[in-house]
Every structure is written in structure tokens, then in C-alpha cells.
Amino acid sequence: MAKESSESRGCWRVLEFYSGIGGMRYSLMKAQVNARVVQAFEINDTANDVYQHNFGHRPYQGNIQCLTAADLDKYGADAWLLSPPCQPYTRQGLQKDTGDARAFSFLQILELMPFLLRPPSMLFVENVVGFETSDTHAKLIEILEKTNFITQEFILTPLQFGIPYSRPRYFCLAKRKPSSFVNECLNSQLIQSPPPLFEHFDTAADEDDSSKEDRQNLLQSCQPIENFLELKNPSSDIAVESVALRTDLSNDAPRTLGKNNGHDEYESLDQYFVHPSLIERWGSAMDVVYPDSKRCCCFTKSYYRYVKGTGSLLATVQPVKRDKTSLKEQCLRYFTPREVGGFSLFSRMSNFFEST
């Protein structure tokens, strides 16, 4: 969060709640913060398998609601990283907020804070847009103020960090007094980006000229999607993909196209192509992007079960005209898990950690 703090305190001891596959931990590594994750907490067994593979450390898999103040005190943590379940607050969900069972563990952790003998000096909370208007958020701010924390809150999108990924997220940074932020004028405020950042960039918006200029400047500063592709497509490979899509989609035999990241393992593209029948049914609802595009939409559901609303699809064959009528000829594919990870804001948060 602030380099001077890590230097004065030595190595931070960090607790990572709702650790998933380790996005928060990776952001610490990218920011080159002098920190050590002393414990991670995650109930999902599969996520813990991935976390253990990535970091050689398996998170605690018990129910967080069973933790006591004494349990948390024993870690002597300087900082907590929290990314609680977003389903109670997402705009497309039921928005049960504090009435959703998936919010209970986070509320329990908050309720423990006034009883800690060794409370953390810093907290970092991440969630979906919509959390900032929830009762859970109100409880978070209430308890942080009660326990002598100062806060700064942000709604940010990866586009602001040069990443062609347009999903906004909520962030709360908190420091316990006498610690302070570099930019104290932002204390106790929620800083939101201009609304055009969160709209579909291919649709006309009712905005003034300055907003349009800001939006275009933001897009121009982003890297193109092709910089994040794991399975890059030289012209010869695109031709192979095109033939394969039309003639061999039903064939389960694996096909390999080039080496994967310089290793001897090969990557099959078959599993990532969108079947023509799905394009025919859902094409009008698909968000199609191209290697030179500078934005894509969020990825929220399993690639192999859903198409509508799952996120952007990549055109591997450049059409003469980029429109919906030629989708079948564009050989659409899903992004690979590693490519989606490359768009993740957490993997590019180092500038945010270092500047606050």
C-alpha cells in the first residue's frame, strides 16, 4: 500500500481471506511489497488445489464463521486482504445483501474486529459494483470507524491501468491510526470513474464531447488484446483453425497448434471454438472482439456450458466487415483460462498498491 510503511515495519504479515486461486497474493508479488502471507482461508477444495499448486501453500479450508478473535490474534497479522462472495450484491442476482447466507462469514469477521487484541494495521477489501450501496458495506464502514480506521474507497476498471478489460470493481483501503494515506484528501470518500468507462464501448451513449474524448483517450492508452493471447494465431494457424471449425468440430481427437509458452506441452484449440449452432442461436447477443481491440467484457460463467452473457468472444479470422452477419466466418473462440487471468485486475494492481 505504501512502500515507506513496509520499510519501517519490516516484512508485513498478511492474512488472505476468501483466497480463491490467489489473485490477491499475486498482486502483492507484482507490487513487490515486502510481505508474507501467513495464512489463507478458502472453503472451495478445487480453488485450494490451484492455490497450493501456485504457491506451495494450502489455505485453511474450515468455515470462517467458526473463527474467534483469539484465532485471528495468534497470527499477529499486519494486513488483511478480503474478497468476500459477491453474489449477495451483484446487480444481476437476487441482491439479498445481509440476508444472503454467503454474506454471513464476512459479517462475522467484521463483528470480531472490536474484540481483537492485535488488530491489523491495514485492510484491503474487493467486491462487485453494488457492494458500495449495500447494508454490508454500511456495516463495514461503521466497524472500521469504530475501530479507529481511516478509509479510502474506489470504483476502478482495468482500463485505467492499460488493460483491455472493462469490468469495474469496488475497492476499500483502510489504515488504522496513526497510519495515514499519502493522499489524505481522499479519506472517507468513494472515488468513482466517469460513467462512460462502465458502458459498452461499441454503443452510442448520451454524453458530452469532453466525456467522449476522455473515453477515447482511455481506450487509446490500453494495450491491444493480442498482447494477452496465450494462443497466438499467425496467418498459417488461422487458416488451420478456419478449416477445423468447419470440418472437424465434432471430432474429439485432440489437435495441436504450436508449442505452449516455449514448453514441450501442446495446446489444443478445439475446446475453445464456439460451435456454429450456438452462433446461430445467440449471435445477436455475443460481444465479439478482435486481436487489435482495446477492450473486452467481463468473464463470469463456465465457457463450456454457457455462451450468452459469459463475456467476450475472440474472432480468429478477420472479416471484411466487422458485423453480426459474418460471425460464422469469423471462427469465434473463447479466451483460455490463462488469457482471462491476464485480463484480471488483480494481476495488474501493482500501480494501485504503490500509489496509495
Side-chain angles (χ1 to χ4, degrees), residues 68 72 119 146 224 269:
T68 65
L72 297 176
K146 183 187 301 184
L269 284 177

Side-chain angles (χ1 to χ4, degrees), residues 295-328:
R295 63 124 208 111
C296 60
C297 294
C298 64
F299 307 92
T300 57
K301 296 180 181 177
S302 168
Y303 299 139
Y304 309 112
R305 292 181 57 195
Y306 302 98
V307 174
K308 184 180 179 181
T310 60
S312 299
L313 299 169
L314 178 70
T316 62
V317 173
Q318 293 280 6
V320 176
K321 184 178 181 181
R322 297 182 177 184
D323 59 21
K324 298 290 186 179
T325 61
S326 61
L327 288 183
K328 288 186 178 180

Side-chain angles (χ1 to χ4, degrees), residues 236-248:
S236 59
D237 286 348
I238 289 179
V240 174
E241 290 176 11
S242 178
V243 172
L245 180 66
R246 293 174 179 141
T247 64
D248 198 33

